Amino acid sequence: GCILDGKLYPFGEIERTENCFRCSCSQHAMLCCSLFHTPTVYDKNNCKVVFNKESCDYDVVQKSDPSKECAVYSRV
C-alpha cells in the first residue's frame, strides 16, 4: 500500500482520504489531487475562509457572525 500523512492506504483508487484528497496508489507512486477549491475573490475585509472537513471544501463566512455565509466570486 501507500502511506499518506501517517495512514496506510491500499493499492488502487482512493475516493477520499482523511484530508480530502482523491488518490491513486501503485507500487511505484501515489498521485493525489485535492477535492476542494480555494476561494480567491471574496470580501476579505468582512469575511474569512474556514475549511469544512465534512464537505471537503472551504466555507467563506462573515467575521462578525460565522453562521452567515459570504459571496465568493472566484475559486481555484
Side-chain angles (χ1 to χ4, degrees):
C2 300
I3 295 178
L4 179 66
D5 296 326
K7 182 169 181 184
L8 179 64
Y9 291 93
F11 289 123
E13 298 297 316
I14 299 130
E15 285 293 315
R16 177 179 163 175
T17 67
E18 288 181 359
N19 292 324
C20 296
F21 287 89
R22 177 178 289 134
C23 300
S24 176
C25 171
S26 72
Q27 290 181 347
H28 305 288
M30 185 170 193
L31 304 172
C32 298
C33 63
S34 65
L35 293 172
F36 48 88
H37 297 93
T38 306
T40 55
V41 181
Y42 59 94
D43 181 355
K44 293 182 174 130
N45 292 325
N46 297 309
C47 303
K48 64 181 179 177
V49 176
V50 179
F51 189 70
N52 182 334
K53 201 168 186 180
E54 198 171 296
S55 67
C56 281
D57 208 356
Y58 286 100
D59 294 332
V60 180
V61 296
Q62 292 181 8
K63 289 179 181 177
S64 60
D65 185 355
S67 68
K68 295 181 181 174
E69 292 187 10
C70 293
V72 178
Y73 304 105
S74 178
R75 292 179 183 259
V76 293

